[in-house]
Amino acid sequence: MRVVAPTAETIAEAAALLRQGQLVAFPTETVYGLGADATNERAVAAIFEAKGRPHFNPLISHVLDAAAARRFVEWNDTAEKLAARFWPGPLTMVLPRCKGSAISLLATAGLDTVAIRAPSHPVAQALIRAAGLPIAGPSANRSGAVSPTRAEHVIESLGDRVPLVLDGGPCLVGVESTVLDVSGPKPVLLRPGGATREAIEAAVGPIGISHALPSGDAARSSPGQLASHYAPARPVRLNATDVGADEGLLAFGPNPPAGAMLTYNLSPSGNLAEAAANLFAQMRALDRPGIARIAVMPIPETGLGLAINDRLRRAAADDGLHRRG
Ligand code: TXA
Ligand code: MG
């Protein structure tokens, strides 16, 4: 790993790494982010790999401003008011994915919504501008560790898992951004953070509080619990070593069983990062009329396989109450 002071040259270098699908840790006003091209499934898979996350939490995509956000989400009047008041700054808005949105499905954990924010830190802004991309960025720490507010914390936590760290000094806000769901008629607070509830309510009136999350600390320790995850409408059968003619097969590795109605292979070469990158798109592609069930081949329980299997087990355990047609 290299730790560099942000200059025009190092920011250009970081932007080039991002465009190549590599990871870069960068300062924001809240905490350091572990950034990747938010439109590149494989680059986003590398974030989860570096963090060692046992499951896929949806990630925030960082953009320059409201105009850029509108290319990826369905904008509305409340979002407009909030952006005018809080952007750039520590407010993340959850909005419906718009038609043609280039944000990776893995970055949103397969959800139909996108969490998006415009950071105010000048280095973050310069990096987004130089890369010409939305940047997916969770906090730049290993899973379960506290969020880094200095470059040293990133180094301690991630070591060589990230090739380049832009050292912008200590983060001024020091807690993560506030996450607000603005996709419905009334905004709902999903995670307390740098933008206060009082200030948000002063801008847009009363907001709801997510009951899924009793406290800010719980929110921070288990952010993935915030979102209801994508569940396929069809039942999911795990550890399939054979397949029926009425089934869709989600294969892994070089020797999938023959005979499925439709087969997608997460990674013919057995590469877990490739499998993670394909997971949500292929689950969606198999979740269609005419297919009775989605059969999934065994995935190794190592590295990114933990997160993939966690996701698949949730999909298989779904009791059907929340299934979509
Ligand atoms: O300040 C921050 O927000 C930092 C800096 C780097 O921007 N980022 C950060 O990201 O804290 P992360 O991945 O640690 O937290 C993202 C939060 C999680 O609580 C996640 O559940 C929520 O945003 N989130 C992301 N996408 C969502 C979605 N589509 N629906 C609901 N919640 C979402
Ligand atoms: Mg985090």
Side-chain angles (χ1 to χ4, degrees), residues 3-324:
V3 183
V4 296
T7 63
E9 289 72 32
T10 57
I11 286 170
E13 184 190 343
L17 284 172
L18 289 174
R19 283 194 298 268
Q20 291 159 24
Q22 307 277 319
L23 304 183
V24 172
F26 65 101
T28 81
E29 70 280 17
T30 57
V31 300
Y32 275 76
L34 180 60
D37 175 357
T39 68
N40 179 335
E41 300 282 354
R42 194 61 187 267
V44 171
I47 289 180
F48 289 105
E49 193 164 45
K51 283 188 69 89
R53 275 202 177 162
H55 39 251
F56 296 121
N57 294 331
L59 307 177
I60 296 168
S61 291
H62 299 78
V63 294
L64 269 187
D65 52 26
R70 298 173 83 130
R71 291 171 32 220
F72 307 111
V73 294
E74 252 170 53
W75 204 242
N76 60 41
D77 291 347
T78 309
E80 183 64 34
K81 277 188 201 141
L82 289 167
R85 166 70 181 77
F86 291 98
W87 280 10
L91 177 70
T92 295
M93 292 195 260
V94 173
L95 285 157
R97 175 186 282 277
C98 68
K99 266 209 179 60
S101 174
I103 301 294
S104 129
L105 288 176
L106 186 57
T108 60
L111 296 172
D112 293 324
T113 51
V114 175
I116 199 153
R117 91 171 179 100
S120 64
H121 197 293
V123 174
Q125 293 181 346
L127 182 63
I128 296 165
R129 193 175 288 115
L133 296 165
I135 300 178
S139 48
N141 52 275
R142 290 282 285 174
S143 181
V146 294
S147 292
T149 53
R150 293 169 178 269
E152 300 91 272
H153 302 164
V154 179
I155 302 158
E156 281 162 23
S157 196
L158 290 173
D160 281 331
R161 292 184 181 89
V162 53
L164 190 70
V165 182
L166 292 172
D167 183 354
C171 301
L172 291 180
V173 176
V175 296
E176 294 91 337
S177 63
T178 301
V179 181
L180 191 67
D181 184 346
V182 193
S183 65
K186 184 180 180 187
V188 177
L189 182 69
L190 299 181
R191 178 179 76 178
T196 66
R197 176 182 176 180
E198 290 79 359
I200 293 169
E201 292 193 323
V204 293
I207 61 172
I209 308 292
S210 169
H211 294 294
L213 277 177
S215 83
D217 285 346
R220 237 157 263 136
S221 61
S222 55
Q225 306 309 314
L226 285 172
S228 67
H229 287 266
Y230 170 74
R234 267 137 280 281
V236 173
R237 179 168 75 86
L238 300 179
N239 295 315
T241 49
D242 55 13
V243 69
D246 59 346
E247 291 183 318
L249 178 66
L250 192 59
F252 179 80
N255 300 306
M261 178 170 288
L262 182 64
T263 296
Y264 282 94
N265 198 326
L266 289 168
S267 172
S269 67
N271 179 299
L272 288 167
E274 183 184 22
N278 285 327
L279 180 65
F280 289 105
Q282 294 191 351
M283 271 212 292
R284 279 173 186 255
L286 287 169
D287 190 21
R288 66 184 210 197
I291 287 187
R293 210 172 302 100
I294 301 172
V296 187
M297 288 180 67
I299 314 285
E301 193 75 22
T302 56
L304 272 184
L306 263 65
I308 295 171
N309 283 320
D310 168 81
R311 188 64 206 86
L312 289 170
R313 277 191 289 267
R314 285 170 199 246
D318 194 300
D319 57 9
L321 286 175
H322 306 289
R323 288 188 198 287
R324 302 179 304 186

